[in-house]
Amino acid sequence: MQTSRVPAALDALLAILRARPALAEVAIVDGPTAVNLTQRRRIHIGWSPGGDQAVELEQSFNAAGARTRDEAFVISCFAESRGGDKDMSFRRADAFDLVGEVEQALRATDAAPEAPTLNGAVLWAHLTTGNVQQSASEGASVGVEFAVSCRARI
């Protein structure tokens, strides 16, 4: 018996992003990773800097009889663009382009009608909150923390 849709949702989101042609040159990372300075564009799924919390979830019975449960959860994510230059504007635009690709991947289209459900893993998923981080210690670096919020029934 399933106790949560979180594992299926994480796996589906990773698969969807890894299959996107526009993200072919971007490292799509499952959780945190060791620092690899050769990877200048990354999207982390199930991780954001400053915290080890991958997913926050809540469950409750959806009706009398306790046969099924509703689950709401938020997947922590982080998109990053780094370079040896000092062009913060370029890195910021690039980081937001990465987040935009995630947002597009979660929108239904004729070719991908199941996109908002993470291919059936959840009832719906969408991009919700975000924070921007910028640094220039060894070149420009911009990261966007964002969340993918999901609703599921188990």
Side-chain angles (χ1 to χ4, degrees), residues 81-142:
S81 175
R82 294 186 285 111
D85 56 39
K86 299 287 184 185
D87 189 347
M88 198 64 71
S89 178
F90 175 81
R91 294 292 159 206
R92 189 171 39 250
D94 190 42
F96 273 94
D97 284 347
L98 295 175
V99 175
E101 283 297 324
V102 175
E103 185 175 14
Q104 288 296 340
L106 297 176
R107 290 187 182 185
T109 65
D110 289 341
E114 293 293 316
T117 68
L118 300 178
N119 294 331
V122 297
L123 297 173
W124 54 259
H126 65 118
L127 209 82
T128 52
T129 62
N131 294 306
V132 179
Q133 301 176 357
Q134 299 183 142
S135 67
S137 62
E138 294 180 18
S141 177
V142 175

Side-chain angles (χ1 to χ4, degrees), residues 27-151:
I28 308 299
V29 183
D30 186 354
T33 187
V35 174
N36 180 345
L37 297 178
T38 63
Q39 294 177 311
R40 300 205 180 266
R41 301 175 78 216
R42 293 188 284 197
I43 298 174
H44 294 264
I45 303 300
W47 178 81
S48 64
D52 293 325
Q53 180 174 302
V55 179
E56 180 180 342
L57 65 110
E58 179 181 311
Q59 294 181 353
S60 61
F61 287 111
N62 71 329
R67 293 181 185 268
T68 58
R69 296 175 60 79
D70 285 333
E71 181 176 48
F73 55 93
V74 179
I75 302 170
S76 299
C77 302
F78 186 68
E80 179 181 26
S81 175
R82 294 186 285 111
D85 56 39
K86 299 287 184 185
D87 189 347
M88 198 64 71
S89 178
F90 175 81
R91 294 292 159 206
R92 189 171 39 250
D94 190 42
F96 273 94
D97 284 347
L98 295 175
V99 175
E101 283 297 324
V102 175
E103 185 175 14
Q104 288 296 340
L106 297 176
R107 290 187 182 185
T109 65
D110 289 341
E114 293 293 316
T117 68
L118 300 178
N119 294 331
V122 297
L123 297 173
W124 54 259
H126 65 118
L127 209 82
T128 52
T129 62
N131 294 306
V132 179
Q133 301 176 357
Q134 299 183 142
S135 67
S137 62
E138 294 180 18
S141 177
V142 175
V144 179
E145 290 181 85
F146 63 98
V148 175
S149 296
C150 302
R151 167 91 58 205

